[in-house]
Structures are given as structure tokens and as C-alpha cells.
Amino acid sequence: MYRDEIPPGTLYLLILKTLARSGEMHGYEIANSIQRISYDVFRLKKKKLYPALQRMLIKGWVNAKRGTTAGNRRARYYQLTAAGRKQLNMEMSQFERVIGAITRVIEAV
């Protein structure tokens, strides 16, 4: 059985882009947004998402604050920082470069 996985090196890109598009979100919202927009191809598991968010906090790409969800549950809300926006631009440039190279190889005659 074939499993769709987030390509290596793109998890930060997906999280940063999701936060840039939607603003402040808690982890469950981030995971759901990525799953929904990818038409259920990418399903982020807690064991991948939360360590990545923690690393992003340490790198200063996101800020986090405590809050309460609509369902009255405690959650940590993440928001992109200026450093996160800069990183998103770098991640996008690198991604576009790699995708372009892959496309050239696939389409070569």
C-alpha cells in the first residue's frame, strides 16, 4: 500500500505558509488546514507537528501564547514572526528551485 508523506524538508514550509495565510492558529488548526488544503494527501501527526513547532519557536520563526479554543480547551496559539516571514521567503525560493530542477529532469527528452 502506498503512503503519501510530506516530502523531506518541506514541513517548515507548509507550517510557515499556513500561518502566513491564516494568522494565529493552534496546532490542531494548523494540521487540519494543511490536510484540508492538500485534499487529505498530507495528514500531520502530533509526533511530527509539535516538535517542529517547538523547533520553530526556538529559532524565533513563530511566537506562541496560551489561549482557549472554541471548544473551551486550552491550547497554544502560534503566530509568524518577522524572522518567520523571512524564513518563509527563503524556504519558498529553495522549494521553487528544487521543483524546477525536478521538472526539468522529468520533462527532459
Side-chain angles (χ1 to χ4, degrees), residues 3-107:
R3 281 189 355 202
D4 293 315
E5 293 183 11
I6 293 175
T10 59
L11 181 57
Y12 290 147
L13 171 62
L14 296 176
I15 295 170
L16 290 168
K17 185 63 176 179
T18 300
L19 288 172
R21 182 178 30 253
S22 302
E24 189 176 85
M25 302 175 85
H26 58 75
Y28 184 74
E29 288 173 320
I30 294 168
N32 279 347
S33 179
I34 291 170
Q35 182 175 336
R36 181 178 37 76
I37 292 170
S38 74
Y39 295 112
D40 291 323
V41 172
F42 299 142
R43 294 176 183 222
L44 277 176
K45 299 203 185 311
K46 288 181 188 179
K47 67 181 182 178
K48 295 277 187 181
L49 176 64
Y50 290 104
L53 286 167
Q54 186 61 36
R55 290 189 300 272
M56 293 168 76
L57 275 167
I58 291 168
K59 292 173 186 277
W61 299 346
V62 296
N63 286 329
K65 67 179 183 180
R66 297 277 179 197
T68 306
T69 67
N72 206 27
R73 299 187 80 177
R74 288 181 32 184
R76 210 170 184 187
Y77 284 83
Y78 299 89
Q79 187 172 27
L80 208 55
T81 63
R85 289 188 195 289
K86 183 177 178 182
Q87 185 64 31
L88 173 58
N89 289 333
M90 290 181 359
E91 297 273 343
M92 286 295 298
S93 294
Q94 179 65 22
F95 178 77
E96 289 166 358
R97 190 174 148 237
V98 169
I99 288 299
I102 291 170
T103 301
R104 287 189 299 278
V105 170
I106 290 171
E107 294 176 350

